Amino acid sequence: MELTAPEVWARIQDAVRDAVPDHAFSSWIEGVRAVALTEGELLLEAGNRFKAEWLEDKYGDLLEARGADVVGRRLRITVRGAASPDVFEPPAVRLDPPSAPSEPDPSVTRRSPASQSRLLTARRPGLNERYTFERFVVGPNNQLASAAASAAADKPGRLYNPLVFYGGVGLGKTHLMHALGHRVLQSNPDARVAYVSAEQFLNEMITAIQRGTTAQFRARYREMDLLLLDDVQFLKNKESTQDEFFHTFNALYDSHRQIVLTADRPPRELEGVEERLVSRFDWGLTVDLRPPDLETRIAILRSKAEEEGLELEPDVIECIAHSCTSSVRELEGAVIKLLAVSSVWNQEITPDFARRVLALRRRELEPIKPVASPERIQESIAAGWRVRPESLTAKTRTRTVTEARHVAMYAMRKMLEMPLMEIGRCFGGRDHSTVLYSIRKVERRIELDPDFRARVRQAMQELRELP
Ligand code: ADP
Ligand code: MG
């Protein structure tokens, strides 16, 4: 009698139950489903990819050995992941501690505890307690920005007005902006500070219009000593909000109040933002934040680990720093992932563990590229060069056909990373040295002939965008 996949799996489970520790059995093996059984293979499905890889790696051999006993023949066991791996991001494991108790503020300790908390919130309007200068690691990528922030905090409204930070996501613009706010409040606890994202500014304005409270809205922002407006690129094409901000800007500027702005690109490149605003952004100082270099990434990780009381081996830190290069946010994301996975698996974070988890994470983050098949490449290049697709694989040697053939070979190599031999096979069995010669020829010509280069690029771009 033939056994079904679940039956085979149930027997294998019974057979391994005593061979692995109880907790391992319940965390790795118990909840796994059998999906399909063929002559030589049993396909299992674990909760997610991490679990699947882990199970296959750690217990694959054991399961296959028992599987062979159960079915009486060799049985390959493959485990695939089912759900989104993000189920492994349990909210319990966070890098941010729930807002840490704030440092004693000499000016408020004299007051009663009840009014104290109210005052603290009133004084730190929307500022994240963790975004301080003390927690900001300075490297060559942000040195200028951080120096400017701290100088502006010491002489608000007098040195750089406005102060503009720009740069990509997760590079510390918001952090620096808050740090400046904290510093200003430290030296002048009575300073009126507002932190607001451009989006929030817009929403508040809309609400004020609806409720007929625009006068209060205006007054509120125009009374600030320090206005921190985050992500101004959000004001793109929002004319009336820009207009409102323009007047707020002028009012603050004229009375020497400090204005700090952030944007995802240099002000001059902000599209859909009025020229009169952009030109005002130029009145002060504009500094960029760049992605951190390796040493800075390591320093940031060390400091984060220390802050959070995490023990990360130097090798683990190095491994994370090597694998996450684009932003500080990415570094933090990697640490969170490691913590989450290690807590779920009850596994120590070793360098090897880190490498595996980060490799998986990278794959998850990569967008799924539409992959053109060799046939699609041939068809598309043939069409672009106006030759018949069959001529590419035939012996035809007219100039255009030869050129199209070479380009198609080149595209297959670059886009699909196919072995030369295999490419040759797709072109009526040409040998690998012919293919290599053709590809080299295209490469050389791409270097010398801009028109040709543009044409090949265009053709490959179209292939990438195939549905
Ligand atoms: P942005 O506003 O540029 O998108 P954020 O200021 O939100 O970036 O920074 C993203 C995360 O990285 C925050 O948690 C922040 O604390 C952290 N971060 C950024 N730069 C640094 C740095 N130089 N040192 C320590 N942490 C940093
Ligand atoms: Mg930000």
Side-chain angles (χ1 to χ4, degrees), residues 441-456:
K441 211 165 158 182
V442 174
E443 283 170 343
R444 249 195 321 275
R445 194 160 156 212
I446 280 180
E447 264 172 39
L448 300 173
D449 178 350
D451 288 342
F452 182 71
R453 175 171 56 225
R455 203 168 163 205
V456 173

Side-chain angles (χ1 to χ4, degrees), residues 39-87:
E39 184 50 22
E41 184 176 19
L42 174 65
L43 176 63
L44 302 176
E45 191 175 82
N48 56 58
R49 242 161 70 187
F50 289 108
K51 226 167 159 174
E53 242 221 14
W54 189 260
L55 179 59
E56 218 180 278
D57 222 12
K58 197 136 189 189
Y59 295 113
D61 290 347
L62 176 68
L63 295 177
E64 289 193 352
R66 295 294 182 275
D69 295 342
V70 170
V71 297
R73 57 177 189 265
R74 263 180 65 98
L75 189 65
R76 226 181 93 75
I77 293 191
T78 311
V79 194
R80 73 174 187 207
S84 143
D86 281 337
V87 295

Side-chain angles (χ1 to χ4, degrees), residues 130-131 135-138 142 167-176 230-231 300 303-304 328-329 332:
R130 299 173 59 252
Y131 290 175
R135 287 174 178 240
F136 191 82
V137 176
V138 179
N142 60 27
V169 179
L171 297 180
K173 302 183 294 297
T174 300
H175 187 137
L176 260 190
D230 210 353
D231 293 318
I300 289 173
S303 121
K304 300 261 173 221
V328 183
R329 174 86 66 213
E332 292 182 345

